[in-house]
């Protein structure tokens, strides 16, 4: 498979590029693709050859789950080649081609044991390991078999993963069923001569959590399966296995996995899926089971006996099924316990649960029974206040429900026998806003967070809440692949993942384009989740933000539409599910609110276009519904429920708070009646305040200040509030006798139907040093003139000779203070002082940047237990980001650091960095300082944490801003310096231009 | 005429009631009606008898203006009786019936001189007086004449006013032409035997200012007359004379009276109208004449010669025409001079203007040339900073453009030979909001202000800006009648004026009802002018204000519609103009914004009724247009321009600031798409915050606190945000184990289609002393319960035994502190300490009260030059308003005095009153303290000036609030005391109930 190759290549590249540290990986045999669709040498193994094909050899007594997997592989090969390989349990007299695919687990396969004993197979690389597999070609392994491909697992799942490794390599995507990805057919399948692949997972339990599954998944399940029964779950288990995952928290919103269908748990065990119950459902019993069978209140202090028995039954039911027992207790329906934060009570609960397990698993050490304590929400507080569980219980740390890890193991905790894991979210129902619709978590963010988890050895369990599963194919794929081997992805190769994913689903031809679309829509939703969108989210006026985003999404939508039309018919359904639907739906949702914003601002201004915008709102709302309907229709004739009917039923428009509305709720639209005949309004670029209302408010229309280094043309918009065109006259007026010839307007008169852009520019040959002031007066209908203030700052520091001197002294061209601000993307930093153990790492695509910015963030990496010496002299030696700045004037400015939200992963320690202008003493900044729930809410809604501070710039000209590394988990996205003209925005302006002398200057 | 009688009766009554002072009036012969429509005695004079009729005798050489007036009277008599009385210039041989109506002026009529000389006529009562007339029956005055009715004027206008006095008495309204008021026909007209009426004006120049006359009046004038020519002005002059007025500032928006039509000024002079130019148009030259003929800038410092000549021409043109010369100078278009506040310059200008006059009127003392200096806007500042003009120039003080006098003559100023006048406004174009549409100045307010002017002897000129004239018939009528004799109206008879006006226009039968309608619409517009209305003006929720006003206007509109249908056909056009149009248009405008408010609040709540409200907005907007169209159509067949076409063309909807929009601009309407199926919202009475949004805002729904003395039932409204009905359940939930049986709800469940009122009440037998708290929980669609906090204060002070004791000790029943406030209308005060010279005067209908409140204000009256001794002991002796209060709890409360806006009419002195609780030392309060332009704007928009202060109440139970009189011009409307539950409102809640024991308490 192409993606494996490129990941491999990129991994090497990444190591070279990042200058960083890769945690020591267990030595595996590097895995180049080993399946060929045409023979390259006579030594290649013909799984399905031109003239011959292999038979499958599988021990009759091998694991049932493996036998199921082999049967699935058999079907996969059939789908790819239209040939069915026969399965035999021993070498028959007539061995046919003499070619065999031998599959087995070391613990159950006599066949394998035989090969090993006879020296035909060396399994030392996998023997005794967890879920390891080895795939290699063996010559004449058995009598009658001249060549065999052997898939050997160290255990049941090791063998199964080997099988699915082959399935993936021959062209069957893990998403073959769940996303209708067509197999890549090929008449023949050869295994490359010399193939040897050994692999094993680095995270022990890797899984997903089906959650918040109503209405989308549940409605679909009811329609297709009648309930959450084993037929449904078989598909889930198979998906997990194909993705080499092994763990599941089942759907629990209104369901009880083991109780809904008795075969559910049995099938999971048989197929090899380790089951558990979610963080607040102890002892393998679903929350909903208490509703069905529990007696009395769910309060341990009052109703111990009933609850104890309830749990005993859970342990008993799963005694012989591979499980992880969730310990502890929370309230029902994902609420804290009604008893409050009672550590004594919770310790008693855990002791009781352990007693139940000891009794149930009598004769087996309790430390061999996998147990987990989920330190979710308020439960982490119990832990931090001193509550402990026995060492063999896994501590499951959690994110903040919005993808930011709250805590990782300390040095001491890392030596616990139970180890640690992470509970992560791609979907969440709760405050400040639920996100349950389409994917809104960028791959780069997942990687940055889970890379931290890996570095801190939280590798016993990785589980991610995937909501309804279906719209999360892309991040699930990434998360589980990373769980298999966290170190295979790094800052250098991460960007290739999207292309590899695309290539696996749709082939190489359009992989780059599809990767762009995947990255584009998910990065946009990562800037602000769709459910948190309002008309005000991206400012309509400041920094041109809404228009910039709108253009990007329009581009994505158009490219996706074009590609959909180009793709073969059999790929289109998958493309819609994985790419086109999220792309188009993302755009529709954004434009819905964008039109609403125009509608609101224009209504306030009384524009005749108000009603046009109102119609746009309705159109985008209908567009969203049409996109949902198209999705629901996939694979079925018109009028009949499609293959994925209801899976996009999640309401996602009109959230007023964390709860979803009952249905998508169109924003209120505003309409007006343009008056007859005409009525002039005037507005200055960047502001919504319009004349004539401005007169009432006692406000002036004012254009942003011009300067020599900034925007050289701005617009005064003259618009119509009436239904008929009108003429206007415009003139420049100075105060008193001041000259105004430095101020130029594009027209002295004109005709306005809907609106007219009067362009304003400056002739710098005629300005006076310092601040130049004048007004543009516009007269149309109505009484008097609309007056727009124009100022132009002619700063000596922006003159050519001074600039030349500045450039000469700067190592790199500095970012120019222009239009009243400096904006710099973190990835533009010059990095110095990186060491192997502590370094700033550039991660492309991480952050709220637009695609066209080709920017990324700088991530602070240190050893987990590194404790910084905070003396200024030492900090000055730390890895450093340098940003050269060029100020037009001295002044007291405001500096804004835009950082990814981050939490205190190490208890008792901040999340810090240090800042200095030029050679000043570094100033220590802590993301945790003054951090509270309100700030957290703002951060996760905006997906940014902003630190603001004053910046004293004592002279115009060149300066160096230095950002020093102190703590890990700091992710710097952007720097904004307000020198007097920074408009409050969401993303802020795009990066300032670097100083460069124009020709002639 | 009925109104004269009732005014007379009421005047006597008023004197008795008010206990107040009436300025010494010159002794006139009291004027009972002298025209009879049937003979009551043989001695009655048959002007037009059953069998005989009088001839008119008029000296051929008498004033041309009088001859015109007599011709008009001749036509009036014809209209009334269908008989034309012949006019003779001397007694003819054949004197017919021997009955004569002899009319003349003492200065020009030989006939009268003859009568006087022959001892037939005693004119000593009018001889030598300004504009005096006398009407009396004379037996055998001349040979051949056995009986005559003599109308003798002391001068030209005296005679003319006598003529129009008769015209009015025979049944011709002054508004016969301008409002299509039909004459009251009668076959016969007798003059009562013994008739003697002598009358003369108390204000020398009484007039109106046609201003801001575009678009309404101008469009109509252009259509009907082709321009502001003498044919148009003839109608204006006749109206003025019929109303016994004599003075005009002509239309000047884009017009120049004397230049537009050379006959304009000549006709005015001939008919007896004294012309002038408005406050900023000096020397009888219109502003617009400078545009036509002026050379160079309108800047005296730069262009003296041209402007001097320009003014010379004005003086010359009007040399022989009765005029008042406006002195001084302002900028063009009603702006301040461009030279700024240059007193030296302005003094030079006045000196030059006086020089021009001295030259023009050479040989005549300049002090005999009427001159005026208008102390308007910034010009008053010149005066206050020391600039003076010669003593013979009249000082014209002004209101603040919103009907509040800014200044009145001091003691010294009152002895100036030029005297003082007042410039008042019924119409204004300027900030904070223009008001130019329909009448929005209540009669009571005009009276209160002009009564002040009269008391301060500002009686040389009264001129009022009437905008387009036409929609202001009612206040013009009052203003000019009051100008004739200010003391004829007083607090006691003022309310009868509307009935008299109604009777004159429509007869006695419906006069009371029509008076109610006139008072109703004008009082509403006086609460807040239509142009200043927004959807937020009257709170939709607090104090039920919008609903209260809506009910009042609906009542007015329904009654007006019913009456219109009842009136005879020939009265309907007049009724529409004077009554029905303003009533209906007032309602439509209010309801337009009322619907807009519902639309906005409901949209915010997501109610399905949002769209109903949106449709209402459109309906009321269309209703307004239809009412305008009806007005414009009056008197014409459908499709043709009516008699008053365009006179209601003033845009009046959608003012964002002082300028009018180009056309009526419908408020922006909001529409939503109710979701499918249903979606519950919940809101607590008095608040717009609704569940579920409240959860997001972190706010609770809370009902206003209950107490024993207050509102006993409140509503939780459960509403639908979706398109299909839903069911709800409701329950009462207490904290912990607290009992909740004291809290009652009207239903435990129900069905909601659009909305459902869940009623909440208290069982006071089950409450605990102090604050009782619980919640009402409501569950419908959606997740969780909506929770509404309910509190009930069971105060010991509200218990029956305590109340009984309180009542026993109170002279009058105190106003109860209930629902967290006390509200009292000023007119509910107990007044003590009034003297003949200083007193609180109750003025019914003055203030922002609803009609149903039957309330009014208390006006502080003192002698103009009274200076209060401000020592507490003396203040305690001042006239005092007492308000008995009963508090349920002690506390630090907030007291709010709602006062009419008032300004510093006496320089160097505040506008003060004093306040005390019980026997505390009076606290002095000054309406001028901290007064600034912003506060002024707020005051004139809200038509209220609010003083707020803390009120320390140390014990529950009975207290006395005392308001002492200090300065004149203080008008107290209402008192509000916030004891914890006063909702911020516009008018505030209606008056609190007085304490009274319920049966069984």
């Amino acid at each position: 498979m192409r993606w494996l190759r490129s990941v491999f290549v990129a991994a090497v590249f990444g190591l070279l590029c990042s200058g960083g540290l890769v945690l020591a990986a267990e030595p595996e045999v590097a895995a180049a693709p080993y399946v060929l669709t045409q023979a390259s040498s006579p030594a290649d193994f013909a799984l399905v050859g031109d003239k011959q094909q292999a038979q499958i050899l599988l021990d009759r007594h091998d694991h049932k789950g493996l036998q199921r997997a082999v049967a699935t592989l058999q079907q996969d090969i059939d789908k790819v080649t239209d040939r069915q390989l026969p399965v035999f349990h021993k070498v028959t007299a007539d061995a046919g081609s003499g070619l065999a695919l031998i599959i087995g687990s070391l613990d159950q396969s006599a066949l394998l044991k035989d090969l090993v004993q006879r020296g035909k197979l060396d399994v030392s690389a996998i023997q005794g390991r967890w879920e390891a597999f080895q795939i290699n070609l063996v010559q004449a392994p058995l009598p009658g078999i001249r060549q065999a491909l052997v898939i050997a697992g160290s255990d049941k799942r090791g063998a199964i993963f080997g099988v699915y490794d082959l399935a993936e390599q021959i062209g069957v995507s893990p998403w073959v069923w769940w996303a209708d990805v067509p197999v890549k057919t090929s008449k023949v399948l050869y295994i490359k001569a010399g193939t040897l692949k050994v692999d094993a997972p680095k995270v022990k339990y890797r899984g997903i959590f089906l959650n918040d599954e109503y209405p989308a998944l549940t409605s679909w399940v009811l329609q297709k399966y009648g309930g959450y029964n084993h037929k449904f779950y078989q598909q889930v288990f198979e998906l997990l296995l194909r993705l080499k995952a092994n763990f599941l928290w089942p759907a629990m919103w209104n369901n009880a996995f083991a109780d809904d269908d008795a075969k559910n748990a049995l099938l999971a065990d048989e197929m090899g899926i380790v089951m558990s119950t979610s963080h607040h459902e102890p002892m393998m019993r679903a929350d909903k089971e208490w509703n069905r069978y529990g007696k009395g209140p769910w309060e341990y202090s009052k109703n111990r006996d009933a609850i104890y028995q309830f749990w005993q039954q859970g342990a008993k039911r799963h005694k012989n099924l591979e499980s992880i027992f969730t310990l502890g207790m929370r309230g029902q329906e994902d609420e804290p316990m009604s008893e409050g934060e009672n550590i004594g009570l919770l310790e008693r609960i855990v002791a009781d649960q352990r007693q139940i397990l000891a009794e149930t698993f009598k004769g087996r050490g309790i430390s061999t029974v996998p147990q987990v304590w989920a330190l979710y929400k308020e439960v982490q507080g119990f832990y931090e206040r001193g509550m402990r569980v026995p060492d063999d219980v896994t501590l499951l740390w959690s994110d903040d429900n919005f993808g930011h890890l709250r805590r990782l193991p300390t040095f001491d905790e890392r030596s616990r026998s139970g180890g640690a894991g992470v509970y992560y979210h791609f979907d969440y129902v709760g405050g400040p806003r639920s996100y349950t619709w389409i994917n809104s978590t960028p791959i780069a963010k997942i990687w940055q967070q889970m890379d931290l988890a890996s570095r801190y050895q939280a590798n016993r369990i990785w589980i991610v809440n995937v909501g309804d599963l279906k719209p999360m194919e892309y991040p699930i794929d990434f998360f589980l692949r990373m769980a298999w081997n966290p170190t295979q992805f790094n800052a250098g190769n991460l960007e290739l993942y999207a292309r590899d994913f695309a290539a696996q689903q749709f082939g190489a031809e359009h992989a780059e384009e599809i990767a762009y679309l995947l990255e584009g829509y998910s990065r946009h939703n990562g800037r602000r989740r769709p459910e948190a969108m309002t008309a005000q989210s991206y400012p309509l006026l400041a920094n041109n933000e809404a228009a910039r985003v709108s253009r990007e999404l329009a581009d994505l939508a158009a490219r996706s539409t074009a590609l959909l039309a180009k793709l073969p018919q059999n790929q289109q359904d998958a493309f819609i599910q994985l790419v086109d639907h999220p792309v188009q739906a993302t755009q529709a949702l954004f434009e819905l609110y964008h039109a609403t914003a125009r509608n609101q601002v224009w209504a306030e201004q009384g524009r005749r276009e108000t009603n046009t915008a109102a119609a746009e709102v309705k159109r985008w709302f209908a567009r969203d519904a049409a996109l949902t309907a198209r999705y629901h229709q996939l694979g079925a004739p018109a009028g009949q429920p499609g293959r994925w009917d209801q899976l996009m039923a999640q309401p996602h428009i009109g959230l007023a708070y964390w709860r979803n509305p009952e249905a998508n709720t169109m924003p209120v639209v505003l309409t007006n009646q343009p008056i007859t005949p005409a009525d002039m309004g005037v507005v200055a670029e960047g502001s919504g305040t319009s004349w004539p209302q401005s007169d009432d408010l006692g406000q002036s229309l004012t254009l942003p200040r011009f300067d020599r280094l900034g925007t050289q043309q701005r617009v005064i918009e003259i618009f119509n509030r009436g239904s008929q065109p009108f003429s206007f006259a415009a003139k420049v007026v100075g105060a008193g006798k001041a000259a105004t010839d430095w101020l130029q307007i594009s027209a002295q008169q004109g005709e306005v139907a809907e609106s007219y852009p009067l362009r304003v520019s400056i002739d710098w040959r005629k300005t006076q040093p310092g601040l130049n002031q004048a007004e543009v007066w516009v007269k149309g209908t109505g009484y008097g003139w609309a007056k727009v203030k124009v100022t132009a700052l002619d700063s000596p520091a922006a003159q050519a000779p001074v600039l030349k001197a500045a450039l000469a002294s700067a190592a790199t061209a500095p970012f120019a203070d222009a239009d009243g601000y400096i904006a710099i993307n973190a990835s533009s930093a010059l990095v110095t002082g990186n060491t192997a153990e502590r370094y700033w790492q550039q991660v492309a695509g991480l952050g709220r940047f637009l695609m066209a910015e080709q920017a990324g963030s700088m991530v602070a990496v240190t050893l987990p237990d590194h404790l910084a010496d905070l003396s200024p002299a030492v900090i000055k030696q730390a890895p450093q980001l340098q940003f050269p700045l060029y100020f037009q004037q001295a002044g007291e400015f405001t500096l804004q650091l835009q950082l990814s939200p981050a939490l205190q992963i190490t208890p008792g320690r901040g999340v810090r960095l240090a800042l200095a202008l030029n050679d000043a003493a570094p100033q220590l900044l802590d993301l945790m300082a003054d951090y509270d729930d309100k700030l957290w809410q703002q951060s996760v809604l905006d997906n940014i944490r902003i630190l603001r501070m004053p910046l004293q710039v004592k002279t115009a000209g060149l300066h160096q801003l230095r950002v020093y590394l102190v703590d890990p988990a700091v992710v710097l996205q952007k720097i904004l310096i307000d020198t007097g003209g920074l408009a409050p925005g969401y993303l802020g302006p795009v990066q300032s231009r670097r100083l460069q002398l124009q020709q002639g200057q």
Side-chain angles (χ1 to χ4, degrees), chain A residues 190-388:
Chain A
Y190 288 90
I191 306 297
K192 214 168 171 179
T195 286
L196 169 60
K197 176 175 183 175
V198 176
D199 210 351
K202 301 215 171 58
V203 175
K204 188 168 187 183
Y205 297 102
R206 309 165 304 282
I208 63 172
F209 178 18
L210 299 181
N211 190 217
D212 310 324
E213 63 269 18
Y214 182 82
L217 183 62
T218 296
S219 303
W220 174 80
V221 164
L222 289 174
Q223 183 186 113
K224 305 300 183 194
Y225 295 98
Y228 283 90
N229 56 30
H230 71 286
K231 290 186 179 160
F232 161 73
Y233 272 112
Q234 182 184 338
Q235 296 299 346
V236 177
F237 301 153
E238 183 181 315
L239 172 70
L240 289 174
L241 296 175
R242 284 186 185 271
L243 288 165
K244 301 198 182 81
N246 59 5
F247 187 54
L248 180 69
W249 282 354
M252 47 65 62
W253 186 261
N254 197 25
N255 306 295
F257 177 77
D259 192 61
D260 290 340
D261 179 353
K263 292 183 184 164
N264 280 350
L266 301 176
L267 181 66
D269 189 68
E270 178 180 312
M271 288 181 71
I273 297 300
V274 182
M275 291 302 302
S276 187
T277 40
S278 73
H279 55 87
H280 75 296
E281 299 177 304
M283 299 297 285
M284 296 306 294
R285 297 220 70 170
D287 184 44
K288 292 297 171 291
E289 288 188 85
W290 181 258
N291 293 354
R292 295 176 194 172
Y293 308 113
K295 291 189 176 75
W298 181 254
E299 289 174 44
Y300 208 71
S301 56
K302 291 182 185 160
N303 197 21
R304 178 200 183 259
D305 291 353
I307 297 173
Y308 191 95
Q309 280 175 27
F310 178 75
W311 287 340
Q312 276 182 316
Q313 289 153 16
K316 191 176 159 196
R317 179 173 64 195
H318 293 269
K319 182 179 177 182
N320 297 314
L321 307 175
E322 203 176 359
S323 313
I324 302 179
F325 285 85
T326 297
L327 303 187
M329 186 173 181
R330 296 186 70 216
Q332 281 205 286
E333 304 223 333
D334 205 356
E335 295 283 337
M337 282 200 301
S338 55
E339 287 98 339
E341 296 203 350
N342 186 337
I343 288 184
L345 175 65
L346 198 56
E347 284 177 336
R348 181 178 151 212
I349 289 169
V350 172
D352 283 357
Q353 291 168 335
R354 297 270 292 181
Q355 186 185 322
I356 293 169
L357 293 177
E359 284 166 2
T360 307
F361 296 94
K362 213 178 293 175
R364 169 182 166 185
I366 188 172
S367 66
T368 68
V369 180
Q371 301 154 57
V372 68
W373 186 31
L375 301 168
Y376 181 67
K377 283 194 173 170
E378 80 285 357
V379 181
Q380 186 183 330
F382 288 72
Y383 183 88
E384 304 293 7
R385 277 185 290 286
M387 176 173 165
R388 290 292 180 272

Side-chain angles (χ1 to χ4, degrees), chain A residues 524-601:
Chain A
H524 172 73
N525 290 337
R527 286 194 278 265
R528 186 170 195 91
R529 299 192 196 265
E531 293 85 349
M533 279 288 292
T534 71
Q536 278 65 51
S537 297
Y538 292 87
L540 191 62
L541 303 162
N543 312 316
N544 213 18
E545 285 191 29
R548 275 155 52 203
V549 175
S550 174
R551 275 196 299 275
E552 172 163 313
L553 296 180
D555 173 59
L556 286 169
R559 285 162 71 162
S560 184
T561 299
L563 187 51
L564 176 60
K566 255 191 251 175
L567 288 177
Q569 190 75 35
N570 73 338
Q571 288 186 339
Q572 290 189 354
D573 279 11
F575 185 76
I576 287 171
Q577 291 163 59
L578 297 174
V579 184
D580 192 59
H581 179 79
V583 166
Q584 305 294 347
T586 295
Q587 184 205 23
L589 189 115
F590 174 86
E591 292 297 350
L592 172 73
Y593 290 110
H594 188 202
T596 303
R598 289 196 301 276
N599 183 235
Q600 290 172 354
V601 171

Side-chain angles (χ1 to χ4, degrees), chain A residues 603-738:
Chain A
E604 183 67 29
Q605 296 172 347
R607 290 196 195 211
R608 60 186 283 186
E609 290 125 311
T610 302
N611 302 328
T612 317
E616 286 275 295
V617 173
K618 291 178 184 171
R619 191 170 76 75
W620 286 110
F621 187 72
R623 165 79 172 159
D624 174 86
L627 288 168
T628 301
R630 179 183 68 163
Y631 195 109
H632 287 172
Q633 190 65 36
L634 287 175
Q640 287 176 35
R643 176 151 157 75
W644 304 109
D645 189 37
Q646 297 311 311
L647 253 166
M648 282 298 126
Q650 178 64 54
H652 50 277
I653 301 173
L655 280 80
Y657 64 130
W658 69 267
R659 283 182 200 145
N660 298 316
E662 297 281 308
N664 286 324
T665 308
M666 192 182 81
V668 168
V669 294
L670 302 97
T671 52
N672 62 18
Q673 281 191 5
I675 64 171
T676 305
D679 194 16
M680 180 175 82
V682 175
V683 69
E685 180 176 321
S687 164
T689 304
S690 67
W691 183 92
Q693 284 96 326
S694 53
D695 277 7
D696 184 43
L697 300 168
Q699 296 176 353
S700 308
L701 302 186
T702 308
L703 276 181
R705 192 181 70 190
F706 285 93
D707 61 60
R708 282 178 181 267
L709 302 177
T711 304
Q712 291 304 308
Q713 190 179 72
R714 297 200 182 268
V715 170
I716 295 170
E717 201 175 4
I718 305 164
F719 58 84
N720 199 347
R721 297 145 50 98
S723 52
Q724 289 160 29
F726 67 90
S727 300
F728 74 88
K731 63 183 179 187
V732 174
V733 178
K737 295 175 181 174

Side-chain angles (χ1 to χ4, degrees), chain A residues 125-205:
Chain A
I126 61 169
Q127 186 79 54
R129 292 177 65 192
W130 174 265
E131 296 180 357
F133 66 87
Q134 142 174 354
I135 298 173
N136 59 325
L137 282 177
V138 181
Q139 302 303 320
L142 293 168
I145 304 296
R146 59 183 165 93
Q147 195 181 24
L149 179 66
V150 177
I151 301 179
S154 64
D155 52 17
K156 172 171 128 184
R157 274 191 298 273
I160 291 171
F161 295 148
V163 166
Y164 283 119
D165 196 77
L166 177 60
E168 189 173 22
Q169 293 255 346
I170 65 172
V172 180
S173 163
W175 298 101
V176 60
W177 191 90
W178 276 97
D180 301 323
V181 176
V183 300
K184 292 183 182 128
T185 57
S186 175
K187 281 200 138 172
V188 299
L189 292 170
Y190 288 90
I191 306 297
K192 214 168 171 179
T195 286
L196 169 60
K197 176 175 183 175
V198 176
D199 210 351
K202 301 215 171 58
V203 175
K204 188 168 187 183
Y205 297 102

